């Protein structure tokens, strides 16, 4: 946020500084034994976008993040990451492609949250339904790495099945979610990319709305 406020615009210099901050954060998180690079990348861009345009919300924030992501990171190491290697192998957008497209799955999650809340769905279920909405269509590079294209399609179909059963606020939806969760645990698969984008959506959703 401080880098964005100091720069004031979505410039190549801001993109390079965010990349440097992100790599330092990745290193620190790795030392503690955890972390997801996609989440750091998504949240870093969205936080910077929100700082550049205080009072912006929803699509306005993702549009600003898109402008930042459009610039190349001139300081990025030349060695490919696991995510970029998987993206190249399978033609998936990956974290970088998602950002350069303006975070379409973050926007889908925001729409799902709004629809669920309007229908009176409890907040935990609304958030789970938003996650499943992302999972149902995202080309999750984490799943592609562990399960390949077949595994990705399997998980996407499972997520769609829960939503088509009425979502996690219904008995059928909860049963479907439990079965999907058991299946993922048994296979050792994790929809990490979807989780990262849900985190981004929840951040954008929590931004204060400035009264007109």
């Amino acid at each position: 946020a401080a880098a964005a406020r100091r720069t004031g615009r979505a410039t190549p210099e801001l993109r390079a500084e965010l990349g440097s901050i992100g790599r330092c954060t990745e290193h620190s998180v790795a030392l503690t034994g955890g972390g997801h690079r996609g989440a750091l990348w998504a949240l870093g861009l969205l936080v910077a976008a929100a700082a550049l345009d205080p009072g912006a919300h929803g699509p306005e924030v993702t549009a600003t993040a898109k402008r930042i992501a459009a610039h190349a990171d001139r300081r990025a190491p030349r060695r490919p990451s696991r995510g970029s290697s998987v993206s190249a192998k399978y033609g998936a957008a990956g974290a970088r492609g998602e950002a350069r497209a303006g975070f379409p799955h973050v926007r889908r999650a925001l729409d799902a949250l709004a629809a669920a809340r309007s229908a009176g769905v409890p907040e935990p279920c609304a958030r789970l339904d938003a996650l499943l909405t992302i999972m149902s269509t995202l080309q999750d590079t984490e799943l592609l790495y562990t399960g390949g294209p077949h595994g990705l399609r399997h998980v996407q179909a499972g997520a769609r099945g829960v939503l088509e059963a009425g979502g996690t606020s219904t008995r059928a939806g909860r049963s479907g979610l439990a079965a999907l969760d058991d299946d993922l645990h048994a296979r050792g698969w994790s929809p990490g990319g979807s989780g990262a984008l849900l985190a981004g959506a929840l951040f954008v959703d929590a931004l204060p709305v400035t009264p007109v």
Side-chain angles (χ1 to χ4, degrees), residues 18 101 148 204:
L18 291 176
V204 175

Side-chain angles (χ1 to χ4, degrees), residues 36-39 41 81-99 105 134-135 137-153 155-156 188-197:
H36 190 280
R37 295 183 68 176
W41 163 252
S81 66
R82 188 172 80 179
S84 63
S85 297
V86 171
S87 294
K89 181 177 180 179
Y90 294 111
R96 185 173 287 107
E98 179 77 13
H105 284 87
I134 298 171
M135 289 170 59
T137 57
L138 181 70
Q139 291 180 307
D140 193 319
T141 54
E142 188 72 20
L143 286 172
L144 280 170
Y145 178 77
T146 54
H150 172 75
L152 174 65
R153 289 192 294 270
V155 175
Q156 288 175 333
W189 294 348
S190 173
S194 297
L197 292 173

Side-chain angles (χ1 to χ4, degrees), residues 18-117:
L18 291 176
S20 296
I21 293 170
R23 285 186 288 277
C24 288
T25 306
E26 286 174 8
H27 178 70
S28 298
V29 170
L31 292 177
T32 66
H36 190 280
R37 295 183 68 176
L40 295 174
W41 163 252
L43 285 170
L45 284 171
L46 292 168
V47 167
L52 281 179
D53 192 5
H57 207 257
E60 297 168 335
V61 177
T62 57
T64 301
K66 176 181 179 178
R67 291 197 296 274
I68 300 171
H71 298 295
D73 183 356
R74 295 171 298 186
R75 303 174 192 166
R78 294 186 180 276
R79 64 182 183 279
S81 66
R82 188 172 80 179
S84 63
S85 297
V86 171
S87 294
K89 181 177 180 179
Y90 294 111
R96 185 173 287 107
E98 179 77 13
R100 288 178 173 172
F103 289 103
H105 284 87
V106 167
R107 298 197 304 271
R108 289 195 68 203
L110 291 170
D111 290 342
L113 283 169
R117 289 165 180 163

